Amino acid sequence: MDLKQSTVGFIGLGKMGWPIARNLSSSGIRLIVNDADMDVAKRFADTYSARFVSFEGLDEELDVVILTLPNGDIVNSVLFGGGESGASGLAHRLGKGSLVIDMSSSEPNGTRERGQALAELGIAFIDAPVSGGVKKAESRELAVMVGGDEQIYKDISPLLAMMGNKLFYVGSLGAGHAIKALNNYVSAAGLVAASDAVQIARNFGIEPAKAIDVLNASSGRNNSTEVKFQKFILSQAFNSGFSLDLMAKDLGIALSMAEGLHRKSPVLEACAELWNQAKHSMPEGRDHTEIFRFMSERE
């Protein structure tokens, strides 16, 4: 793929999408942007080297479309139409030979179904969700997990490298979304375990900050103890940039995968149930680090 000659459409300029799109723009990619909030998309286009086009105006001009959307249902609506807006889908306006890259956190089996539907229209499709949060999106240090045709992955690796510095080809279509959900399961379980341990330590008379220091110097350390506790939890900032609702969604995807494979996973079941309880008992949009507050209030 000749990136200098390609036109890339970018749909979804949320907390993660904005810095990812900005990095593409600063890398010289010919970028067209769109978002459900047109004012956001217009502001991005005015700020960076990009062009805003209404959703209905997106068409065969695009060689590549990148989606950074909240879930697979919205991905489906964007590509094939329907949803609340009733708008027609983008897939029927793209040219044959174009490529769609889904960087959202979607359900793997749904991704495979979308891939088949797009293939019938002559459109290639890969899933490439990311991990690392807003800060690493800004610094191009994301981990990118790719599922789909391996040759397509090799062809677009230079484009993906503009967004992340750790690229992984993990298997057939849907594999990227599968490992993303499983990664978030491990992350969520680690945060819950650390939160539980710190709260037990506090009740015993050990200061939470001291407990974290010990965990980080010992075998209990994990991403949550090293990155999240001091900055987002003990500070009570609770502003990591990844919502509790999205974490609960990803745990649901991981649990659905296990059930579909007829695999018993009691730890995953318990973890998913806890996060689901937090989702329904806390206001929408809360940061995922507020699981610590939820667990504390249950004492």
Side-chain angles (χ1 to χ4, degrees), residues 80-266:
F80 301 109
E84 294 181 3
S85 68
S88 61
L90 177 61
H92 297 285
R93 301 197 301 273
L94 293 175
K96 289 187 177 181
S98 56
L99 168 67
V100 175
I101 303 173
D102 184 9
M103 303 189 81
S104 317
S105 293
S106 300
E107 197 277 325
N109 288 329
T111 295
R112 289 179 171 176
E113 292 172 1
R114 281 186 281 279
Q116 182 175 352
L118 288 169
E120 292 173 359
L121 297 172
I123 300 169
F125 187 49
I126 65 168
D127 51 315
V130 300
S131 181
V134 174
K135 291 296 184 184
K136 290 192 175 181
E138 292 172 346
S139 61
R140 306 179 196 235
E141 296 180 292
L142 292 169
V144 186
M145 314 152 216
V146 181
D149 185 278
E150 188 170 9
Q151 186 57 54
I152 294 176
Y153 162 70
K154 291 177 180 178
D155 291 342
I156 66 163
S157 288
L159 179 66
L160 298 176
M162 296 176 187
M163 300 178 267
N165 64 348
K166 295 176 285 290
L167 308 183
F168 300 93
Y169 175 74
V170 293
S172 62
L173 190 63
H177 285 145
I179 196 63
K180 169 63 185 294
L182 294 171
N183 171 76
N184 279 6
Y185 159 43
V186 174
S187 175
L191 177 52
V192 164
S195 296
D196 199 24
V198 167
Q199 290 171 19
I200 293 170
R202 179 186 61 195
N203 292 347
F204 192 77
I206 301 171
E207 293 182 6
K210 186 63 68 176
I212 289 298
D213 287 343
V214 173
L215 289 172
N216 282 336
S218 309
S219 58
R221 69 185 182 277
N222 59 38
N223 176 263
S224 291
T225 63
E226 291 182 327
V227 176
K228 298 175 184 178
F229 262 85
Q230 292 290 354
K231 189 170 184 179
F232 304 121
I233 296 175
L234 298 184
S235 68
Q236 297 188 43
F238 300 112
N239 60 352
S240 74
F242 185 70
S243 77
L244 191 151
D245 293 349
L246 287 177
M247 183 65 88
K249 173 186 70 70
D250 286 348
L251 284 164
I253 291 174
L255 183 59
S256 178
M257 288 171 53
E259 291 172 347
L261 295 168
H262 307 291
R263 179 181 178 84
K264 293 290 184 181
S265 183

Side-chain angles (χ1 to χ4, degrees), residues 19-58:
I20 292 173
R22 185 195 62 205
N23 287 336
L24 291 176
S25 176
S26 66
S27 298
I29 294 297
R30 186 186 302 161
L31 200 64
I32 292 176
V33 296
N34 184 269
D35 189 86
D37 186 335
M38 288 193 297
D39 290 337
V40 169
K42 290 176 181 177
R43 186 169 74 250
F44 183 96
D46 290 341
T47 304
Y48 302 106
S49 180
R51 180 160 58 97
F52 165 75
V53 173
S54 69
F55 181 73
E56 291 75 16
L58 299 172

